[in-house]
Amino acid sequence: MAPKRVLKVGLDSAAPFPMHSDYNSEKFEGFEVDLLSEIAKHLDFEIHYEVSLWKTILEKLFKGELDLICSAVTVTSSRKHILEFTEPYLHFRLCAVVPAEGALDELKDFKNKTIGVRTATEAERHVHTKFPDNNMFHADTNKELYRKLQAGKIDMLVDDSPIAGGFLQNNSKLKIGMFLPNTDSHYAIAMKKGDLELRKQFNTGLKMLRENGIYDAIYAKWFSEIQF
């Protein structure tokens, strides 16, 4: 029997739960972990995870040192120029997270606020573009970002709504102040440019999971209490 093909999969070391937890924690789990496990089972692949900073795994994939990234990768037109993407597996928006007692009703409320973002993310790019006059705080990890907000060091943070929802599940001191207009986005699995056969195989796997109900079951397991 031929050995299974091993796929090297990049993971963000600043785990974006509930997409996935910290790989080195006691329990490695999450929406993307379940999704990838089911696709790998269907395609008869073996998954080997490699964990690095977000900006590092993007570089590694571009250089061909990884086969794919399944770690809350937002599909963008600029990334499509240098990477291949599967069909999307999750729709979301950007949101602004504020202290629970804070008010945030419209975009003009952002004026003179210090905004926290994660480095090398679409949230960072969006804030740079839409709020160029605001003070910004850049963090490499989600934990640092949310800790700064809770400690009152920044006024708000901008994040992907599923990740914000995951953080806020166990944190009554913070809340989503608003979903940012015109920020509808999608996560998909990213692959090396030109890896069309692998992309085709994964799209077939994703389609099968949607048709047989497994996708819906995984979605309900991880997002039943998260609004995005």
Side-chain angles (χ1 to χ4, degrees):
M1 197 169 77
K4 290 184 181 183
R5 179 178 171 186
V6 175
L7 293 179
K8 287 185 284 186
V9 179
L11 276 187
D12 188 353
S13 57
F17 193 78
M19 304 310 293
H20 65 82
S21 59
D22 180 354
Y23 184 66
N24 297 309
S25 65
E26 207 171 283
K27 200 170 186 185
F28 176 57
E29 59 180 357
F31 175 79
E32 289 168 329
V33 179
D34 289 351
L35 196 69
L36 207 53
S37 171
E38 289 292 340
I39 294 172
K41 201 188 299 178
H42 171 67
L43 298 175
D44 204 29
F45 288 152
E46 192 175 315
I47 301 293
H48 283 192
Y49 285 107
E50 290 193 21
V51 185
S52 292
L53 282 174
W54 175 241
K55 53 194 174 191
T56 309
I57 57 172
L58 284 174
E59 286 167 15
K60 282 188 166 187
L61 181 62
F62 179 68
K63 290 176 184 172
E65 294 169 13
L66 294 170
D67 293 303
L68 55 96
I69 300 174
C70 186
S71 190
V73 188
T74 304
V75 181
T76 67
S77 53
S78 59
R79 286 175 179 167
K80 278 183 170 179
H81 284 303
I82 58 169
L83 300 170
E84 301 292 348
F85 283 97
T86 62
E87 292 298 315
Y89 56 78
L90 196 70
H91 166 264
F92 67 95
R93 295 171 286 173
L94 292 179
C95 65
V97 179
V98 295
E101 69 280 0
L104 190 65
D105 300 314
E106 47 191 299
L107 291 180
K108 67 178 177 60
D109 295 333
F110 280 61
K111 196 172 167 126
N112 300 324
K113 298 284 197 297
T114 299
I115 306 174
V117 287
R118 278 196 61 209
T119 304
T121 60
E122 281 306 295
E124 179 187 60
R125 190 189 63 77
H126 183 81
V127 172
H128 267 302
T129 306
K130 297 293 182 183
F131 311 104
D133 298 329
N134 286 64
N135 286 329
M136 288 178 66
F137 170 79
H138 305 260
D140 273 327
T141 69
N142 296 310
K143 282 182 182 170
E144 182 187 4
L145 198 55
Y146 284 80
R147 210 162 28 225
K148 285 280 182 188
L149 180 57
Q150 199 163 314
K153 306 287 187 190
I154 55 177
D155 298 308
M156 66 174 75
L157 63 85
V158 172
D159 200 357
D160 298 357
S161 51
I163 299 168
F167 263 84
L168 300 183
Q169 273 186 311
N170 301 311
N171 192 328
S172 59
K173 294 179 179 175
L174 303 175
K175 68 177 182 182
I176 291 178
M178 69 183 292
F179 293 95
L180 302 187
N182 306 313
T183 60
D184 286 72
S185 306
H186 293 90
Y187 291 144
I189 299 169
M191 300 169 178
K192 297 192 300 282
K193 193 69 181 169
D195 212 340
L196 303 181
E197 182 55 36
L198 190 62
R199 185 182 72 175
K200 183 181 171 186
Q201 289 175 304
F202 268 74
N203 279 336
T204 302
L206 280 167
K207 186 168 183 277
M208 182 208 68
L209 294 189
R210 288 186 184 276
E211 288 172 351
N212 65 14
I214 291 176
Y215 175 91
D216 288 340
I218 296 171
Y219 185 97
K221 175 183 173 182
W222 292 104
F223 298 125
S224 59
E225 295 177 16
I226 292 178
Q227 181 194 3
F228 54 88

